Structures are given as structure tokens and as C-alpha cells.
Amino acid sequence: MEFGSILISENAANSENSQDIINSNISIINLMREEKIDDEFIHEDALMSYYLDYYVTQCAQGNFAQFVYNSGWNNELNELIEEGLQLLGAHHQLEFFQQQAKKVRLMSSVKLAKFLKGKLEGVNPVRDALNENVFYGVVPNTQDLEKENLVELNAAFLKNHPDTQILPVEAIFELLEDYLERDIKRN
């Protein structure tokens, strides 16, 4: 049985910082995983948002090459990100992702494997080829990418989703405890 809600804390929903809404979703998913709730039972759009934030964070910290390197270029994850960008209406960001993904697909499997097993730092021509310094929060290359702020879009998606419940933290714990039919240890 899927947990039918995306849960966001009241504090996060009332925050002026959009990242707080995303972080609330991430914290709740992490709690669900700690409590041994399998991903197949977590709301699929909550997971999509979770992984989209992973993508944004990786690209903001080390550009597209860091995302490829740290994710191991996982096809299932890549599909989730593409679907997420589409759901958020981030068409220019989706186009950027697809252009960068094409670069990876055109690489030989040997070259990609060597990149994934090597070091990201230092002299790294594959990293340099993947990094175009054109991620929206790093060095925008177009006004179109700048307009599609993925943090803002992701937070709005979560907050306005028809399955989102905005609750006090204690109520979120109680809801999860009812679902699990057991108590959750509070830290």
C-alpha cells in the first residue's frame, strides 16, 4: 500500500525560503526509509522531488559532471529527473539535461567507466567536456535557464500538489506511526 500523501511540515510551508519545503520532504522521506518503508510505498511525486533536489544540488556544487560522477549515471534516476523536469514545466532545464545526457550517451562505455572509477578532481578532460558552466544557479548561459529556477519550481510543485498534507511535525510523526502501526522513536 502506497503512503498516499506528500508530507510537509507547517514550519517549512510557512517559510519564505523555498528550499525549506524541499528539505521537509527530504527529511520525511529519510525518516520513512529509516523506519524501513520501502520506496515503492512512498508517494512517487515526493520521491521525484527528492531526486530532483539531488540533481540540482550536485549540479550547483560541481556542475553536470559531478552529477554524472556521483550518481554513477543511473538510468532509472535519469528517467526520474527527466520526468520531474517535465512535470515542473521546466522545459529549458529539461532540454539542457537532455543535451548533457546525449554527451554521456555518445561516450564509449570504456570512457564512461573510466570516468566513473577515476577521480573527479585534477586533470580530467571528460569532466571538462561535460561541464559547460551552464547550470542555472552556477553560470547561467541563457535567460531561459535563469527563468526556470528549479528550487522555486520544485517547492511550488510540492506545496500545491493535490496529495500534499501540511501538518505540524508531531502530527506527521503520528500519521506515520498509524501507517506503520508502531511508535517511531523521536530524536
Side-chain angles (χ1 to χ4, degrees):
M1 174 179 99
E2 179 184 281
F3 188 78
S5 297
I6 298 170
L7 301 173
I8 304 295
S9 75
E10 277 183 346
N11 290 344
N14 294 329
S15 172
E16 291 186 23
N17 182 349
S18 296
Q19 188 64 49
D20 290 343
I21 294 169
I22 296 166
N23 290 344
S24 178
N25 179 59
I26 290 167
S27 295
I28 292 163
I29 289 174
N30 288 340
L31 174 64
M32 293 170 89
R33 287 174 167 170
E34 287 169 16
E35 294 300 322
K36 308 295 186 238
I37 296 175
D38 195 84
D39 280 3
E40 68 185 67
F41 299 111
I42 299 173
H43 196 289
E44 66 182 356
D45 288 342
L47 283 170
M48 180 276 304
S49 170
Y50 180 97
Y51 289 116
L52 198 56
D53 180 72
Y54 173 76
Y55 166 70
V56 170
T57 301
Q58 292 299 306
C59 288
Q61 291 174 352
N63 218 312
F64 194 80
Q66 180 173 310
F67 167 72
V68 172
Y69 184 84
N70 287 340
S71 71
W73 196 243
N74 179 294
N75 287 331
E76 191 175 325
L77 175 61
N78 297 341
E79 287 174 17
L80 270 174
I81 290 166
E82 281 195 58
E83 288 173 26
L85 292 171
Q86 214 163 16
L87 261 175
L88 297 183
H91 305 294
H92 299 289
Q93 293 284 353
L94 176 61
E95 185 180 330
F96 170 76
F97 182 85
Q98 290 170 336
Q99 286 172 353
Q100 295 300 97
K102 185 176 180 181
K103 288 182 183 179
V104 178
R105 284 193 307 275
L106 291 174
M107 240 183 258
S108 72
S109 57
V110 172
K111 191 175 194 176
L112 178 60
K114 187 177 177 184
F115 171 70
L116 294 174
K117 289 180 182 160
K119 291 188 179 200
L120 190 59
E121 300 82 25
V123 176
N124 191 325
V126 173
R127 177 203 59 216
D128 297 342
L130 290 175
N131 286 346
E132 297 225 350
N133 294 325
V134 290
F135 192 70
Y136 83 96
V138 183
V139 181
N141 74 333
T142 70
Q143 290 179 347
D144 292 333
L145 284 176
E146 276 185 67
K147 289 177 194 170
E148 293 179 343
N149 182 314
L150 294 180
V151 172
E152 298 290 330
L153 290 171
N154 195 355
F157 174 79
L158 286 172
K159 194 171 182 178
N160 299 313
H161 195 286
D163 295 337
T164 293
Q165 289 189 52
I166 297 172
L167 300 167
V169 172
E170 186 56 34
I172 291 171
F173 273 100
E174 290 169 5
L175 199 61
L176 291 173
E177 287 173 335
D178 286 347
Y179 179 78
L180 292 165
E181 298 178 347
R182 63 178 167 77
D183 290 341
I184 297 174
K185 186 177 175 183
R186 313 289 200 277
N187 291 337

